[in-house]
Amino acid sequence: MVLSYNSYRDNNQYFRGDTTMSFKKFKYKRFFWATILIVTFIICCGVGYVHKTEEIKSISYNEFIEKVSNHQVSKVTISSSPTIKINLKDDKAIYVTDNPRTLDFKEFLLLNNIKVEEGTYTSTISILQGILGIAVFSFFGFFIIKSTRKENSKATMGMNMVEASEENCNKFRLHNIAGNEEAKENVFDLIDFIKNSEKYSKYGARMPRGIIFYGPPGTGKTLMAKAIAGEAGVPFYAVSGSDFVQMYVGVGASRVRDLFKKARESKKAVIFIDEIDALGKRRSSSVVAGNDERDQTLNALLTEMSGFSSEEGIIVIAATNRLDTLDEALLRPGRFDRQVEIGLPDIKGRERILNHHAKNKPLSEEVNLNKVAKETIFFSGAMLENLLNESAINAVKRSDEAIKKEDIDKAFYTVLAGSEKKDRSNIRENDRKITAYHESGHALIAKLVAPENTVAKVTIIPSTKGAGGFCINIPPDKMYYTKKEIESQIMVNLAGRAAEELIFGKDMVTTGASNDIEKATSIIKDYVLKYGMSEKTGLINLNAFNSQKNINDNILVECKEHLFSLYEETKKVLMNNMDFLHKIAGELLQKEILCEEELDSIMQAS
Ligand code: ADP
Ligand code: ZN
């Protein structure tokens, strides 16, 4: 596999829903139930105490009859319960015995001069049991109700309210963003506008209400929006476009209104909508009915934006990875009428970003960030930050005082290809050999036909992301690429398969080249259809016809012919340099990973 760029997605979650039950209300309920529990507990203890002091003895009915005939009984409490309660004349204890339930039982007692009390006799034990039962029941009931309520409130909350996290961006300043100079220049006046909106309104100037930052993920769009809020010293409300797109029609629109209401309360604010494309994607002409929910939400957003008065210092910043997918309605004047590109950093930008993130990290003297910047073409700011962070983690793992070059090399691997597979014991020796020749093929062809490229690393260490090994081949960072360079690029991609074929035979080539072939095909497609570089098709951009019909069999045949001849050419170069191929593969099998210097020294040795 040839690796040159790996996209990075970060999972910032800006939107946080909240539960409907307000904190105060919730606190009150908790207090209420806690009181009930405590009171129950006290009652139980009290009853328990009383129960302990009043001794209850059980006697047989015969013993009772005997006590009656001995005139020992003073009072009997009868009820419908299965037992009767007996008080003796000279005994404080209470006795209980079976209730005979005969019709003349009361008369029998009265005739024996015993006081009879009718009523429900409930023993303290049963009182205790009852109270405990109620307590337990209420306790569980409370939790069941509470949890269902929470679920319900989560659902309804999700539907009706927007609780954009208001972030304090005081710490964020434009100088925290390295590089991106053009974008910074583009937002200076906005900051002044938010700060002194009254001044602008006096002059009748209309400032943009919304701006769109567009560019690949991880390039600092969110950072820039935060810095604007930080510089202007106003609250920052962040949400993600996808949070507005709900299943139920009208919910998104009401969320939009809630968000703006909240922002208006603070008079001046920056509202940041990440992934605006989730909401404002261009309407596809093929869908007749459209997407009601999305349209309503979008309309709500546009209405809210046009409702700002000119004195209000509220700016809406939206971010997207692709500007061309947005609905044009969003880009009209008075809406998101300023679009600022925030692209991948160039070499200077990368060095600045690296320096910025290295400030709080102990770098060893051998680390040259300028060189790292050179090797990290197509890295976004987030990837660079990640690279240094992973390097620092590696240094900690080694318990070293400083981050060394080896830590950065290892981190490079992690950022591009995922972490290396630790358990490599089950990799068959034959597979290692295939990988070694495959990757050596890429590296060797890159060195021979594209000497301007940097071959930062070749490795046969499989990654957890599934690559068997890879060769990091970095084309020079420049504005234009020549036809020759594009052809070389294709050859580098095909070289893995070519090496396999030459070493192991035509029928023994493997699935390991699938990614490479895909990349080569995509390059040749642009070569023919976009850049007008194929002599046969000529100077024409077939994409402009805007129809797949133009990619007919002739073009397919032509792409195939180009790939075939480039493949044959690659094999020829490899055959002429077979010694190098064997040497690089041999070293790889031994060391598993080779850096550019090691590759160069192999090439120079012979
Ligand atoms: P985006 O919104 O474009 O996806 P973010 O603003 O979320 O990107 O950037 C993610 C992280 O990448 C930031 O927190 C920061 O650490 C780092 N980063 C990106 N670009 C830069 C830059 N120009 N300067 C410094 N750090 C950057
Ligand atoms: Zn490959």
Side-chain angles (χ1 to χ4, degrees), residues 15 155 158-159 241-253 255 291 293-294 297:
F15 181 87
M159 279 166 57
S242 54
D243 294 316
F244 290 114
V245 184
Q246 294 292 314
M247 256 162 39
Y248 307 101
V249 176
V251 174
R255 283 182 166 187
N291 182 336
E293 161 62 356
R294 226 187 50 202
T297 313

Side-chain angles (χ1 to χ4, degrees), residues 442-451 455 488 573-574 576-577 580 603:
H442 286 310
L444 181 57
I445 289 294
K447 281 276 151 209
L448 293 171
V449 305
V455 183
S488 308
V573 179
L574 284 179
N576 294 338
N577 293 279
F580 288 138
M603 306 279 298

Side-chain angles (χ1 to χ4, degrees), residues 1-2 438-439 442 493 496 512-513 516:
M1 180 154 92
V2 194
H438 178 109
E439 301 307 337
H442 286 310
N493 275 290
D516 302 332

Side-chain angles (χ1 to χ4, degrees), residues 167-173 226 229-231 233-234:
E167 271 183 62
N168 188 346
C169 291
N170 279 345
K171 294 193 306 283
F172 288 93
R173 288 285 185 278
K226 281 185 182 169
E231 293 276 352
V234 300

Side-chain angles (χ1 to χ4, degrees), residues 19-34 142 146 149 153:
T19 46
T20 29
M21 210 189 287
S22 75
F23 183 61
K24 246 177 160 170
K25 220 163 142 194
F26 184 69
K27 220 170 156 184
Y28 163 73
K29 289 215 160 163
R30 255 208 330 226
F31 175 74
F32 174 74
W33 283 104
F142 166 65
K146 199 183 122 189
R149 244 195 223 167
S153 67

Side-chain angles (χ1 to χ4, degrees), residues 69-114:
S69 48
N70 289 342
H71 306 291
Q72 285 175 286
V73 179
S74 68
K75 190 175 96 180
V76 170
T77 311
I78 51 174
S79 70
S80 55
S81 78
T83 52
I84 53 169
K85 183 177 145 192
I86 303 141
N87 293 84
L88 297 187
K89 282 177 184 159
D90 49 1
D91 196 341
K92 280 237 166 83
I94 292 169
Y95 292 83
V96 287
T97 189
D98 291 326
N99 188 347
R101 294 194 209 265
T102 50
L103 286 174
D104 54 358
F105 182 57
K106 187 173 175 185
E107 191 190 17
F108 161 73
L109 295 173
L110 291 172
L111 288 175
N112 280 286
N113 290 323
I114 298 169

